[in-house]
Amino acid sequence: MSVERGTGTALRPRLATVLKLLCVCLGCGPLLAGCAALSRRPAPSPQYSDAHPPGFSPAVRWVGEMTERESREWAASRLAGIARSARGDPINILVLSGGGGAGAFGAGLLSGWSRLGTRPRFQIVTGVSVGALIAPLAFLGPRWDPQLSLAFDGANVPPLLERRLFGWLGALFGWSVYRGEPLRAMVDGYVTPALLRAVAARAQSGRLLLVATTDLDTGDVVIWNMGAIASRGGRAALRLFRRVLIASASIPGVFPPVLIPVRASSRLFDEMNVDGSASSAFLLAPGISSILPEKITPLDGANVYLVINGHLRPQPITTPNHTTDILLRSVDTELASDSQVRVELAYSFAARQGVRLKVTAIPSGYRLHGLIGNLQPARMKALFAYGERCARENRVWTDALTVLNGVAHVSPAPPAQAARCPDAGAAGRAPARAAGSAPDRGPSARGPRGALGRPLTLVSTPGG
């Protein structure tokens, strides 16, 4: 009895403390909710279809899917200039997919490709989600590989997962589980005025850099012409350029959405933009143009390099019976499924257009840890090294059918065995170079052994 009385006496103060904390939480809940539900202007209604960022031309972006007529007009107005920038050689296109922390694979792949000495100059680069973070550096060429390396490899990789104050309580009344400041700091660190000027210079030569976000208010894909934004110049352009990249990589619920002010009919609105992967796993052809029967002449003979930063089929696991794990697993599954369908469409599009399509994806034998788990710095570093090694060994590129056939069989590698590269049969093969294209070494690169950083490879064509 004495033990029971002692235990009960000891528990009473603790129970009282817990009850007090619970009362405080319940009492402060509405206050926290009011503070955390940050104010925003209304989203533009459908009647304001011409809404665009103030101070910028409507040409800096395209909202929603294109119609058949719009698709043809877009191709006629854009691709002729892109073909001229290729100087008579086939157009080279790089498409960068989403994938969270698995984007380090693509970054490492670009780095290794530069070191191999066969990385071409791209006339079109597109990026979605983490692919959007990589796209500007891939667009600028190997000279900018050091910045790519700093973002995805080495001791300076910042932890991007920083929980909100009060943990899950803060997330419950806020916009996201994790704070957005680390991601913002990462983007601000390499998107400098110098980068903006370099992107603008290349855009003026006819080359195209496209990034996708998702307008959460309407569900539309938003395609941003980053070269047009950069060409505007000044602080406003730098601010919008950064905002678009952060928005494209902001996984809903994980990182805060990004409010982008837009103007229509002399009124200001706020658009809520989030991860581009929510509407498109990667960008290849604008909407309906991917199924149009007629050929787009400038694309005949083009080289398209498509990098999937992840698996095309989720690895089998025992999903914990917990809300967060179930939601994140659902997102991973949806992204893999969307990627698979879009690779199938890309294969069909390439066959009709006479495009040489090369694809790479992380094989099932390489264990991934989901969109969130892969954001751990150590895992990003390992993925970067893996992508770089496979590229240096010329073992990354396969055809779309080979990649799709591999989806049917998931064969994890033994724990002690290193994961095979995406193209396991390419060992010892002579370095391949895209037909009619010269490697884009950049002003400071010195060939296979002297490339400065670590490039990344993803393919994309304009559109959503």
Side-chain angles (χ1 to χ4, degrees), residues 179-223:
R179 300 174 70 242
E181 284 72 13
L183 177 59
R184 187 178 305 117
M186 173 186 173
V187 172
D188 290 352
Y190 72 86
V191 179
T192 61
L195 180 139
L196 204 69
R197 290 191 296 270
V199 169
R202 284 156 179 76
Q204 288 165 9
S205 71
R207 295 164 65 186
L208 193 61
L209 172 61
L210 301 175
V211 162
T213 63
T214 300
D215 182 343
L216 202 57
D217 296 311
T218 64
D220 286 331
V221 60
V222 184
I223 309 300

Side-chain angles (χ1 to χ4, degrees), residues 16 94 107 110 118 135 164 166 212 222 303 316 322-323 358 407 432 434 449:
L94 177 66
L110 279 177
T118 60
R164 292 193 172 279
F166 304 121
V222 184
N303 303 299
H322 186 275
T323 302
K358 290 295 182 181
V407 173
R449 297 185 180 180

Side-chain angles (χ1 to χ4, degrees), residues 157-189:
V157 175
L160 296 177
L161 301 178
E162 184 177 308
R163 287 195 182 277
R164 292 193 172 279
L165 189 64
F166 304 121
W168 284 104
L169 182 62
L172 179 63
F173 295 111
W175 284 15
S176 58
V177 175
Y178 297 98
R179 300 174 70 242
E181 284 72 13
L183 177 59
R184 187 178 305 117
M186 173 186 173
V187 172
D188 290 352

Side-chain angles (χ1 to χ4, degrees), residues 42-90:
S45 63
Q47 73 187 79
Y48 297 118
S49 58
D50 61 337
H52 58 276
F56 291 85
S57 162
V60 300
R61 67 181 196 162
W62 183 273
V63 180
E65 298 289 350
M66 293 184 180
T67 64
E68 181 180 354
R69 177 182 60 81
E70 290 167 339
S71 178
R72 291 194 176 98
E73 290 176 352
W74 191 96
S77 64
R78 291 288 181 183
L79 291 182
I82 291 168
R84 285 194 297 271
S85 72
R87 302 170 186 172
D89 290 331

Side-chain angles (χ1 to χ4, degrees), residues 84-110:
R84 285 194 297 271
S85 72
R87 302 170 186 172
D89 290 331
I91 293 173
N92 293 308
I93 303 170
L94 177 66
V95 178
L96 305 169
S97 85
F105 164 73
L109 187 156
L110 279 177

Side-chain angles (χ1 to χ4, degrees), residues 62-373:
W62 183 273
V63 180
E65 298 289 350
M66 293 184 180
T67 64
E68 181 180 354
R69 177 182 60 81
E70 290 167 339
S71 178
R72 291 194 176 98
E73 290 176 352
W74 191 96
S77 64
R78 291 288 181 183
L79 291 182
I82 291 168
R84 285 194 297 271
S85 72
R87 302 170 186 172
D89 290 331
I91 293 173
N92 293 308
I93 303 170
L94 177 66
V95 178
L96 305 169
S97 85
F105 164 73
L109 187 156
L110 279 177
S111 174
W113 201 3
S114 288
R115 292 173 181 268
L116 185 64
T118 60
R119 175 177 161 184
R121 174 184 290 109
F122 299 109
Q123 281 70 50
I124 302 175
V125 175
T126 68
V128 171
S129 191
V130 67
L133 301 181
I134 300 165
L137 299 171
F139 182 71
L140 295 177
R143 182 181 182 183
W144 292 78
D145 285 352
Q147 285 84 347
L148 188 63
S149 176
L150 285 174
F152 291 91
D153 182 30
N156 294 323
V157 175
L160 296 177
L161 301 178
E162 184 177 308
R163 287 195 182 277
R164 292 193 172 279
L165 189 64
F166 304 121
W168 284 104
L169 182 62
L172 179 63
F173 295 111
W175 284 15
S176 58
V177 175
Y178 297 98
R179 300 174 70 242
E181 284 72 13
L183 177 59
R184 187 178 305 117
M186 173 186 173
V187 172
D188 290 352
Y190 72 86
V191 179
T192 61
L195 180 139
L196 204 69
R197 290 191 296 270
V199 169
R202 284 156 179 76
Q204 288 165 9
S205 71
R207 295 164 65 186
L208 193 61
L209 172 61
L210 301 175
V211 162
T213 63
T214 300
D215 182 343
L216 202 57
D217 296 311
T218 64
D220 286 331
V221 60
V222 184
I223 309 300
W224 298 85
N225 185 335
M226 305 302 282
I229 295 174
S231 297
R232 162 72 165 68
R235 291 186 178 181
L238 184 63
R239 182 165 56 249
L240 181 59
F241 199 102
R242 289 170 171 173
R243 278 185 175 179
V244 170
L245 293 186
I246 295 167
S248 186
S250 293
I251 305 168
V254 177
F255 296 115
V258 176
L259 295 179
I260 297 182
V262 296
R263 185 183 296 276
S265 300
S266 301
R267 292 186 59 189
L268 272 178
F269 301 92
D270 278 340
E271 286 183 351
M272 183 177 284
N273 282 257
V274 298
D275 194 340
S277 293
S279 53
S280 179
F282 59 83
L283 303 177
L284 181 58
I288 199 171
S289 65
S290 63
I291 60 172
L292 293 178
E294 64 266 22
K295 296 190 72 170
I296 303 173
T297 303
L299 290 182
D300 190 22
N303 303 299
V304 174
Y305 302 90
L306 172 58
V307 174
I308 304 297
N309 286 306
H311 296 143
L312 286 178
R313 172 180 169 177
Q315 292 169 309
I317 63 169
T318 299
T319 304
N321 193 15
H322 186 275
T323 302
T324 306
D325 293 296
I326 293 171
L327 288 174
L328 291 176
R329 177 63 173 176
S330 299
V331 171
D332 287 335
T333 302
E334 183 178 358
L335 180 60
S337 176
D338 186 34
S339 298
Q340 181 180 341
V341 170
R342 288 181 181 273
V343 170
E344 293 167 352
L345 285 172
Y347 173 76
S348 177
F349 175 80
R352 287 196 313 278
Q353 297 297 332
V355 168
R356 289 183 283 264
L357 174 63
K358 290 295 182 181
V359 184
T360 188
I362 300 176
S364 60
Y366 192 106
R367 185 186 176 193
L368 296 177
H369 301 268
L371 288 174
I372 307 304

